[in-house]
């Protein structure tokens, strides 16, 4: 098929869909016909190509807003940029980074070689644009440091003066050289405290519990606590907790191995039962596997070796069954085609359930779902939005004077105007009868009024024609915004009341107070 034939079909598609021959509508129709003809053109993959250069969150937003044209993409990006204050974000991030570096520089010059070295490495990491994994790794280094840090050496100075663990300079100033006696008992307590804290660290679990870290810090800062009776119960609790952490890690490892064994067992037994010529070798593998499952796994190296032997035997056995599996390929392919067809039918059914059959806009059911999404965004992030209600003035007279077909034509024409004036991030739909609704994202009452006036003026100037007869059409509008209402229901009620006031005060106007 040639480009000329695709162009003709695109123009014909616009005529059938009652769309104007605008650049955006023509580009959309042309790309649909080109895709249908199996022809790939550079102009039809701009959106796909540009969206791949954006981050994953932005790509999801593009899909949610159904961005189809370059114009819609440009409006979307402009709207997103307008909502972003890059200067404040950059300044805040830079200030936080500088503060972190200054703190690390202070730690680096303190009187602890291990802390200074770790601080130096952390400063180097921050200057190399680290990933979240690297940052979490260094955070664990600092946790390990504070857990195992032992400043009990300062306690040796208690007999020369008052020791302040948080102020080394003050401790040195309080030292009384005249008191030079040593206390062997205190030295023993320091050594016992160090050994006890080391025993708190789990031998299998990969991380330290907060309670363990807290008690470790407490004992290291004051080893004399070991002489008190109150610390005994805390130590017992921590030891039990440490054992529990190791048991939980072992349990997870065993469950992982059990899962592999279960899958191997089921797969092997299934193949043995399906095979008409099971050999003695296969039966032996089955017996070994069943016996292996009966015992508890205590040595992971032996477990790994046994699993490797079983997997090797299983691999050799599966090769003899490959021909049988290939024989079912046609049946699998047929089922795959059937599944794809059912998925497409389900997708079409979902789309139809949310679309008004006459105007091709969202129906009331879809609008209710979108309003719940907007309400959730407002509750969580404070994103304001406006609701605009539209009603066609004297629409009953149109049906009575020109017929219901003419009324349907007017509704469809108004829907096109409403969709054209809306932004790509806005949601418009038919609320019921001759009433329509627009949900305007990130828009206050002033923006909602501007949008309503644009639509009203467009309708007033438009020529609504039916069988060579012009039908005069005007609309009334009611506007409200979320942040001035107490609930989602109150927003809709407020905009509906403003719409009623607009109709009562003479129609063809916008009311928002």
């Amino acid at each position: 098929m040639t480009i000329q034939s695709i162009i003709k079909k695109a123009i014909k598609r616009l005529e059938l869909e009652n769309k104007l021959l605008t650049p955006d509508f023509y580009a959309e129709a042309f790309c649909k016909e080109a895709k249908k003809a199996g022809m790939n053109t550079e102009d039809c993959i701009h959106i796909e190509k540009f969206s791949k250069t954006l981050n994953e969150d932005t790509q999801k937003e593009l899909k949610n807003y159904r961005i189809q044209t370059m114009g819609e993409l440009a409006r979307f990006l402009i709207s997103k940029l307008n909502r972003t204050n890059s200067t404040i974000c950059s300044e805040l991030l830079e200030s936080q980074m500088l503060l972190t570096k200054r703190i690390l520089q202070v730690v680096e010059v303190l009187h602890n070689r291990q802390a200074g070295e770790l601080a130096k490495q952390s400063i180097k990491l921050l200057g190399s644009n680290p990933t979240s994994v690297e940052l979490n790794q260094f955070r664990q280094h600092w946790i390990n440091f504070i857990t195992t840090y032992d400043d009990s050496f300062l306690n040796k100075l208690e007999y020369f003066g008052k020791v302040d663990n948080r102020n080394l300079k003050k401790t040195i100033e309080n030292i009384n050289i005249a008191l030079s006696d040593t206390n062997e008992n205190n030295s023993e307590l320091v050594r016992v405290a160090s050994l006890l804290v080391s025993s708190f660290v789990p031998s299998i679990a990969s991380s330290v519990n907060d309670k363990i870290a807290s008690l470790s810090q407490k004992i290291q800062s004051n080893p004399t606590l070991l002489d008190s009776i109150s610390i005994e119960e805390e130590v017992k609790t921590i030891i039990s907790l440490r054992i529990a952490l190791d048991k939980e890690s072992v349990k997870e490892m065993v469950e992982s191995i059990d899962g592999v064994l279960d899958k191997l067992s089921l797969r092997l037994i299934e193949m043995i039962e399906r095979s008409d010529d099971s050999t003695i070798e296969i039966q032996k593998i089955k017996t070994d596997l069943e016996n292996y499952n009966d015992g508890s796994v205590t040595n992971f190296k032996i477990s790994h070796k046994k699993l490797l032997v079983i997997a090797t035997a299983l691999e050799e056995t599966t090769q003899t069954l490959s021909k049988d599996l290939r024989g079912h390929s046609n049946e699998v392919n047929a089922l795959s085609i059937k599944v794809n067809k059912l998925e497409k039918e389900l997708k079409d059914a979902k789309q139809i359930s949310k679309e008004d059959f006459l105007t091709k806009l969202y129906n009331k059911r879809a609008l209710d779902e979108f309003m719940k999404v907007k309400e959730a965004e407002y509750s969580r992030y404070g994103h304001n939005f406006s609701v605009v209600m539209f009603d066609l003035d004297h629409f009953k007279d149109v049906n009575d004077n020109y017929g219901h077909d003419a009324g349907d034509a007017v509704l469809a024409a108004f829907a096109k105007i409403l969709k054209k004036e809306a932004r790509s991030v806005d949601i418009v739909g038919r609320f019921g009868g001759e009433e329509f609704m627009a949900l305007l994202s990130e828009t206050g009452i002033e923006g909602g009024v501007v949008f309503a006036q644009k639509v009203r003026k467009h309708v007033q100037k438009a020529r609504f024609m039916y069988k060579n007869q012009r039908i005069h059409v005007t609309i009334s509008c009611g506007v409200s915004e979320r942040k001035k209402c107490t609930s989602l229901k109150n927003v809709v009620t407020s905009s509906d009341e403003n719409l009623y006031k607009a109709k009562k005060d003479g129609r063809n106007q916008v009311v928002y107070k």
Side-chain angles (χ1 to χ4, degrees), residues 6-7 9-15 17-37 39 41 43-47 65-72 75 351 355 360 416 419-420:
I6 293 177
I7 292 174
K9 287 191 175 185
I11 295 174
K12 187 175 181 181
R13 175 187 281 267
L14 291 177
E15 293 175 353
E17 294 177 352
N18 293 323
K19 291 183 178 179
L20 298 175
L21 187 58
T22 63
D24 287 344
F25 284 154
Y26 170 73
E28 180 182 356
F30 177 83
C31 290
K32 287 181 178 179
E33 291 297 331
K35 183 177 181 181
K36 184 177 179 181
M39 180 179 293
T41 61
D43 292 335
C44 294
I45 61 173
H46 283 322
I47 298 297
Y65 290 131
R66 298 184 180 90
I67 302 299
Q68 300 292 335
T69 65
M70 291 298 295
E72 292 178 351
R75 289 193 293 272
Q351 180 63 28
E355 185 180 89
K360 305 304 178 185
K416 291 180 180 179
K419 191 171 184 179
K420 182 178 180 181

Side-chain angles (χ1 to χ4, degrees), residues 93-105 126:
L93 184 60
E94 184 177 359
S95 299
Q96 292 175 344
M97 182 66 76
L98 287 175
L99 175 60
T100 303
K101 287 185 176 180
R102 292 296 176 268
I103 293 173
L104 290 172
Q105 287 172 352
L126 292 176

Side-chain angles (χ1 to χ4, degrees), residues 257 292 299-309:
I257 292 178
Y292 180 65
N299 190 316
F300 297 113
K301 290 184 178 180
I302 295 175
S303 302
H304 180 271
K305 185 176 181 180
K306 288 185 178 181
L307 284 173
L308 183 61
V309 172

Side-chain angles (χ1 to χ4, degrees), residues 400-457:
D400 293 343
N401 296 331
Y402 300 97
H404 288 282
D405 289 342
D408 290 347
V410 170
L411 290 174
F414 173 72
K416 291 180 180 179
I417 292 175
L418 187 58
K419 191 171 184 179
K420 182 178 180 181
E421 293 295 346
R423 302 171 300 178
S424 60
V425 296
D426 298 331
I427 297 165
V428 294
R430 186 182 180 187
F431 198 70
E434 66 269 23
E435 283 194 2
F436 292 78
M437 174 186 282
L439 299 175
L440 309 179
S441 303
E442 298 289 348
T443 304
I445 192 71
E446 296 83 2
V449 172
V450 171
F451 174 76
Q453 289 288 12
K454 284 173 62 180
V455 176
R456 186 190 66 79
K457 292 177 182 179

Side-chain angles (χ1 to χ4, degrees), residues 269-511:
I269 292 170
E270 178 186 356
M271 288 190 299
I272 291 173
E273 292 174 349
R274 290 177 56 190
S275 176
D276 296 331
D277 54 348
S278 299
T279 63
I280 298 176
E281 181 75 21
I282 297 176
Q283 294 293 344
K284 183 180 177 182
I285 295 173
K286 177 182 177 181
T287 303
D288 289 344
L289 189 56
E290 289 174 344
N291 292 335
Y292 180 65
N293 279 334
D294 292 337
S296 61
V297 180
T298 55
N299 190 316
F300 297 113
K301 290 184 178 180
I302 295 175
S303 302
H304 180 271
K305 185 176 181 180
K306 288 185 178 181
L307 284 173
L308 183 61
V309 172
I310 293 171
T312 303
L314 182 60
E315 180 182 13
E316 294 174 353
T317 305
T318 54
Q319 292 176 357
T320 63
L321 301 174
S322 60
K323 292 182 180 180
D324 183 40
L325 294 176
R326 293 193 192 99
H328 297 287
S329 60
N330 292 334
E331 182 180 351
V332 172
N333 291 335
L335 288 174
S336 177
I337 294 172
K338 188 175 181 180
V339 169
N340 290 336
K341 183 180 178 181
L342 290 174
E343 287 179 346
K344 184 178 183 302
E345 291 176 356
L346 179 60
K347 183 178 180 182
D348 294 340
K350 287 183 178 179
Q351 180 63 28
I352 292 172
S353 68
K354 293 185 178 181
E355 185 180 89
D356 180 61
F357 72 97
L358 176 62
T359 62
K360 305 304 178 185
L361 298 179
Y362 290 116
N363 58 21
K364 188 176 183 301
R365 176 181 176 184
L367 288 173
D368 289 340
E369 292 181 4
F370 282 120
M371 281 192 285
K372 291 179 181 178
V373 173
K374 293 297 178 187
E375 178 66 12
E377 291 178 352
Y378 175 79
S379 299
R380 186 169 184 180
Y381 306 110
H383 293 175
N384 192 25
F385 63 92
S386 293
V387 174
V388 184
M389 296 292 293
F390 301 92
D391 188 275
L392 275 66
D393 298 331
H394 302 296
F395 185 72
K396 184 177 182 301
D397 294 341
V398 175
N399 284 331
D400 293 343
N401 296 331
Y402 300 97
H404 288 282
D405 289 342
D408 290 347
V410 170
L411 290 174
F414 173 72
K416 291 180 180 179
I417 292 175
L418 187 58
K419 191 171 184 179
K420 182 178 180 181
E421 293 295 346
R423 302 171 300 178
S424 60
V425 296
D426 298 331
I427 297 165
V428 294
R430 186 182 180 187
F431 198 70
E434 66 269 23
E435 283 194 2
F436 292 78
M437 174 186 282
L439 299 175
L440 309 179
S441 303
E442 298 289 348
T443 304
I445 192 71
E446 296 83 2
V449 172
V450 171
F451 174 76
Q453 289 288 12
K454 284 173 62 180
V455 176
R456 186 190 66 79
K457 292 177 182 179
H458 192 153
V459 171
Q460 188 173 2
K461 293 180 181 179
R463 295 173 63 87
F464 291 83
M465 302 297 296
Y466 181 75
K467 292 184 178 180
N468 297 324
Q469 287 183 301
R470 182 179 181 181
I471 303 175
H472 182 69
V473 179
T474 60
I475 59 170
S476 299
C477 315
V479 187
S480 64
E481 66 173 323
R482 176 62 182 91
K483 72 178 183 180
K484 290 186 178 180
C485 299
T486 57
S487 66
L488 176 63
K489 182 179 180 180
N490 188 248
V491 182
V492 179
T493 302
S494 177
S495 60
D496 199 47
E497 289 175 351
N498 288 336
L499 173 62
Y500 177 78
K501 185 177 180 182
K503 296 181 74 68
K504 184 179 179 182
D505 292 347
R507 296 181 170 83
N508 192 24
Q509 57 184 288
V510 177
V511 173

Side-chain angles (χ1 to χ4, degrees), residues 173-354:
E173 291 174 350
N174 291 336
I175 287 178
N176 185 355
I177 303 300
L179 298 175
S180 59
D181 295 333
T182 60
N183 191 315
E184 293 296 332
N185 184 46
N186 189 63
S187 299
E188 289 294 331
L189 282 177
V190 171
R191 287 195 290 271
V192 171
S194 179
L195 290 173
L196 187 60
V197 168
S198 299
S199 70
F200 287 167
V201 180
S203 58
I204 299 177
S206 59
S207 60
V208 177
N209 185 278
D210 290 339
K211 291 183 178 179
I212 296 177
S214 176
L215 185 61
S216 298
Q217 175 76 9
K218 186 176 179 180
I219 293 176
Q220 286 178 336
S221 61
N222 187 9
T224 58
L225 289 174
L226 296 178
D227 282 334
S228 64
I229 299 176
S230 61
I231 200 70
E232 182 178 346
E233 290 301 322
E234 289 188 62
V235 171
K236 288 181 180 179
T237 302
I238 292 303
I239 291 175
S240 299
L241 183 58
R242 181 257 193 198
I243 294 173
L245 287 174
D246 283 340
K247 284 184 176 180
E248 186 64 26
S249 296
V250 172
K251 182 180 177 182
E252 291 176 359
M253 294 177 185
V254 171
E255 287 177 351
S256 177
I257 292 178
D258 285 344
V260 175
L261 289 173
D262 288 342
K263 291 180 181 179
L264 283 173
S265 299
L266 292 173
R267 182 61 178 157
L268 183 57
I269 292 170
E270 178 186 356
M271 288 190 299
I272 291 173
E273 292 174 349
R274 290 177 56 190
S275 176
D276 296 331
D277 54 348
S278 299
T279 63
I280 298 176
E281 181 75 21
I282 297 176
Q283 294 293 344
K284 183 180 177 182
I285 295 173
K286 177 182 177 181
T287 303
D288 289 344
L289 189 56
E290 289 174 344
N291 292 335
Y292 180 65
N293 279 334
D294 292 337
S296 61
V297 180
T298 55
N299 190 316
F300 297 113
K301 290 184 178 180
I302 295 175
S303 302
H304 180 271
K305 185 176 181 180
K306 288 185 178 181
L307 284 173
L308 183 61
V309 172
I310 293 171
T312 303
L314 182 60
E315 180 182 13
E316 294 174 353
T317 305
T318 54
Q319 292 176 357
T320 63
L321 301 174
S322 60
K323 292 182 180 180
D324 183 40
L325 294 176
R326 293 193 192 99
H328 297 287
S329 60
N330 292 334
E331 182 180 351
V332 172
N333 291 335
L335 288 174
S336 177
I337 294 172
K338 188 175 181 180
V339 169
N340 290 336
K341 183 180 178 181
L342 290 174
E343 287 179 346
K344 184 178 183 302
E345 291 176 356
L346 179 60
K347 183 178 180 182
D348 294 340
K350 287 183 178 179
Q351 180 63 28
I352 292 172
S353 68
K354 293 185 178 181

